[in-house]
Amino acid sequence: MTVKTKPKSLLKTYEKHLDDRFWIVEEAAAGVPASALIDLIDMTHLNKNFIAGMLNLSTRTIDRYLKGDNLLNPSSGELMLKLFSLFKKGEKIFGNADEFQKWIEKPAYGLGYKFPKELMQTSAGIDLIQDELTRIAYGDLA
């Protein structure tokens, strides 16, 4: 009898590089394994439908990707790596994942009272949230 073990989390592999924007660009261009979507869902607690919408994929396509050894296209891979980076930074600034999750669900003053979660739909939106997190970290809330 063989026991299936969960594959090693790709987030652990990526984690030490997530602050390096050049690395994110290079890694996305090389192809991010679709299996990293599992880590993204686990880390962010965003549902598969939300992530599918962000990546401009259907949930069926995501399921198909997860069954094989597929790579995401560069723009989807980049968004995914930027989300890993965003959530890592958010957890650090807010002290834990739950507090960061609460923050992304509320209108943010520094983001023009937009919901951070809604801004995550694009790479530029993720950059805006990253900038806001930096302002929060340095106490620049005005």
Side-chain angles (χ1 to χ4, degrees), residues 26-47:
E26 290 172 354
E27 194 67 21
V32 175
S35 57
L37 287 165
I38 296 167
D39 292 332
L40 184 65
I41 291 167
D42 287 347
M43 177 187 193
T44 64
H45 303 290
L46 298 172
N47 68 44

Side-chain angles (χ1 to χ4, degrees), residues 54 79 82 118-129:
M54 289 179 59
L79 269 175
K82 287 179 86 169
E118 292 173 3
L119 295 174
M120 290 180 196
Q121 298 291 323
T122 65
S123 181
I126 293 169
D127 292 341
L128 288 171
I129 299 166

